[in-house]
Amino acid sequence: MADALKIGIAGLGTVGASLFRILGERHNMLAVACGRDIRVTAVSARNRSADRGVDITATAWFDNAVTMAAEADIDVFVELMGGAGDPAYTAVKTALNRGLHVVTANKALLAKHGVELAALAEEKGVILNFEAAVAGGIPVIKALRESLTGNTVSRVYGIMNGTCNYILTRMEKEGLSFEACLKEAQRLGYAEADPAFDIEGNDTAHKLSILTTLAFGTKIAADDIYLEGITNISLEDILAARDLGYRIKLLGVAQKTASGIEQRVHPTMVPQDSVIAQVDGVTNAVAIESDVLGELLMVGPGAGGNATASAVMGDIADIAKSRPGSQLVPSLGRPATMLDAYIRGEMQSHEGGYFIRLTVEDRAGVFASIATRMAENAISLESIVQRPQAATQGDDRKTIILVTHATTESSVRKAVDTIETEGYLIGKPQVIRIERPKAA
Ligand code: HSE
């Protein structure tokens, strides 16, 4: 049997503690599968004595993750601290420079420094694995990096944030408030340390930027993503969508367009009978459209200790199975030096239907004016309805919901901008894009 593979885990939060426990429980099973022992020989976290439900007393302790990366007796540095900056960035670079393999679940770090870190791993001849960084336990990195090699990908999209999907699902099914659902997602260990990253869409954007690179072979461009989170989605929107036969999901979409690659993250209405609409709670789904295979849809647990630890365990097992001198799979699907420049496709070219919710003063001519503004911008309406009075509204205001046929982002913007100047609107209009996914 080969020598044991020695692991150092930096970060013992929900995921790190789950990983530590699972690697211990499955020691024999992993040894058989990998042909060698996998042993956690070092750990690092902020607080040594925190109660994590695991016994770390027999494992070498480091107060500082960078010191652990530089000095610990380990073969693999597992980074589960999170955050795009330090200590994660310096710790991972230190580990790679020292010739250690690295496994990370840190999408923010990869979104910012992924190309540099992949290049460094390649230069040092070590593995940089990050399956857990995107869509929790779903093996989407491996699918794009390895299984779809030779395919030309045209689109990748999906539900990539468990916290947001959990919130939207519980609001719809149980009529709970946004805040109550978010608190529960935090309690269950789904949310980021700062949950603003979840609900404002940044987490999905980080994940999408990684998928874009793997799908299209371009450099990571996390700052070139149109971004809207779910903080403006009200229970009223969710219920109106349901009555119209739709569900609201936070989708990340990356696709090739005539002008480049379009990356966007925003709340999206999908038909209730589509597969993606059925993806509830913390579950994630990623669809990949490619020319040889066609559409691949992967659905599975998207966040939480065990789901994420499962992906990290798989990455560690891949390292344990690799043999010195064997060809390594490039972290980003192709050598980092071979990645193409990213060219942004214009978001304004996005076409599809739109849901528009307007709260208006209840007076003559308002309906006609709205319909006129739509017609002026060549927007064809699928429906226009007045919603029943909400208990909180007075008699002097009404909610009007429009659903448009396919039109352009710029036409909708122009129509809504004009409506906003006409004096009958109360509050901000709500605009949600509608997607009709092919198979998903
Ligand atoms: N906060 C993330 C989510 C964790 O809710 O999906 C998994 O990346």
Side-chain angles (χ1 to χ4, degrees):
M1 218 189 207
D3 289 345
L5 186 74
K6 289 174 273 183
I7 311 293
I9 303 176
L12 290 174
T14 311
V15 179
S18 288
L19 179 70
F20 187 94
R21 179 179 47 76
I22 291 168
L23 288 179
E25 287 168 357
R26 278 149 211 260
H27 174 265
N28 292 347
M29 188 179 167
L30 285 164
V32 170
C34 302
R36 65 196 293 196
D37 283 337
I38 294 176
R39 271 199 226 123
V40 180
T41 55
V43 288
S44 166
R46 268 193 289 249
N47 175 0
R48 188 172 192 173
S49 55
D51 180 13
R52 306 176 170 93
V54 289
D55 181 6
I56 57 167
T57 49
T59 312
W61 170 266
F62 289 81
D63 286 322
N64 185 315
V66 179
T67 310
M68 186 174 93
E71 296 174 8
D73 179 21
I74 54 176
D75 305 301
V76 184
F77 181 79
V78 179
E79 188 277 303
L80 300 174
M81 295 176 285
D86 283 332
Y89 175 60
T90 300
V92 167
K93 267 186 87 165
T94 303
L96 292 172
N97 271 316
R98 196 182 151 203
L100 302 180
H101 302 294
V102 169
V103 176
T104 179
N106 190 338
K107 49 263 162 154
L109 175 72
L110 293 164
K112 190 155 181 206
H113 301 291
V115 176
E116 179 201 352
L117 296 174
L120 182 57
E122 281 155 30
E123 185 196 320
K124 298 289 173 185
V126 293
I127 296 172
L128 169 64
N129 272 346
F130 48 86
E131 188 62 73
V134 181
I138 300 176
V140 63
I141 302 297
K142 204 169 252 191
L144 277 170
R145 185 161 64 188
E146 297 171 40
S147 317
L148 290 176
T149 304
N151 276 266
T152 299
V153 177
S154 49
R155 191 154 86 122
V156 51
Y157 65 97
I159 297 170
M160 300 171 204
N161 183 272
T163 300
C164 288
N165 207 47
Y166 178 86
I167 292 171
L168 292 171
T169 303
R170 292 207 66 191
M171 283 174 77
E172 184 198 336
K173 299 214 156 148
E174 295 162 60
L176 296 174
S177 73
F178 187 101
E179 291 71 26
C181 298
L182 174 57
K183 270 209 183 92
E184 190 60 6
Q186 288 177 287
R187 192 186 67 76
L188 292 166
Y190 301 157
E192 296 301 298
D194 177 359
F197 276 85
D198 296 293
I199 60 179
E200 286 172 6
N202 311 76
D203 179 75
T204 303
H206 291 150
K207 292 166 176 168
L208 184 69
S209 71
I210 297 166
L211 293 189
T212 299
T213 288
L214 287 159
F216 303 115
T218 50
K219 290 190 177 143
I220 299 175
D223 294 334
D224 254 323
I225 299 182
Y226 174 84
L227 182 60
E228 262 178 53
I230 63 165
T231 48
N232 289 330
I233 300 294
S234 65
L235 188 56
E236 190 180 10
D237 294 323
I238 292 174
L239 298 180
R242 188 175 67 185
D243 292 351
L244 290 162
Y246 294 93
R247 289 215 167 102
I248 300 177
K249 299 289 180 189
L250 183 71
L251 291 193
V253 182
Q255 60 191 354
K256 269 193 185 148
T257 69
S259 57
I261 294 171
E262 179 184 341
Q263 297 186 101
R264 52 193 167 86
V265 172
H266 52 72
T268 310
M269 284 180 38
V270 289
Q272 256 162 24
D273 57 3
S274 60
V275 177
I276 211 152
Q278 321 295 322
V279 175
D280 280 345
V282 72
T283 307
N284 281 195
V286 182
I288 303 165
E289 293 169 6
S290 60
D291 57 351
V292 184
L293 178 63
E295 179 149 16
L296 170 68
L297 177 67
M298 305 173 88
V299 179
N306 279 357
T308 314
S310 170
V312 175
M313 178 166 62
D315 277 350
I316 293 172
D318 276 351
I319 294 170
K321 289 175 195 164
S322 71
R323 291 292 171 256
S326 61
Q327 182 71 36
L328 301 181
V329 180
S331 300
L332 296 173
R334 60 167 82 172
T337 49
M338 302 285 284
L339 291 169
D340 296 330
Y342 173 87
I343 297 169
R344 178 188 198 156
E346 278 307 308
M347 172 69 184
Q348 291 299 310
S349 69
H350 170 68
E351 293 201 12
Y354 288 77
F355 163 102
I356 304 167
R357 175 172 58 78
L358 307 168
T359 304
V360 297
E361 289 175 12
D362 188 12
R363 58 177 155 88
V366 169
F367 238 80
S369 166
I370 293 168
T372 304
R373 298 300 161 233
M374 294 293 145
E376 281 169 359
N377 288 285
I379 298 171
S380 166
L381 292 177
E382 184 180 298
S383 69
I384 175 166
V385 293
Q386 190 168 294
R387 292 280 294 170
Q389 195 81 2
T392 49
Q393 292 180 352
D395 282 343
D396 56 342
R397 57 176 64 187
K398 294 281 180 274
T399 296
I400 294 175
I401 306 277
L402 299 97
V403 175
T404 79
H405 286 296
T407 178
T408 62
E409 185 84 14
S410 53
S411 301
V412 168
R413 271 288 134 233
K414 268 191 227 149
V416 170
D417 286 351
T418 311
I419 287 169
E420 282 198 87
T421 64
E422 296 195 302
Y424 51 74
L425 206 59
I426 299 164
K428 294 295 288 175
Q430 175 70 290
V431 177
I432 304 176
R433 294 165 192 86
I434 299 172
E435 295 263 350
R436 293 186 175 81
K438 270 195 223 158

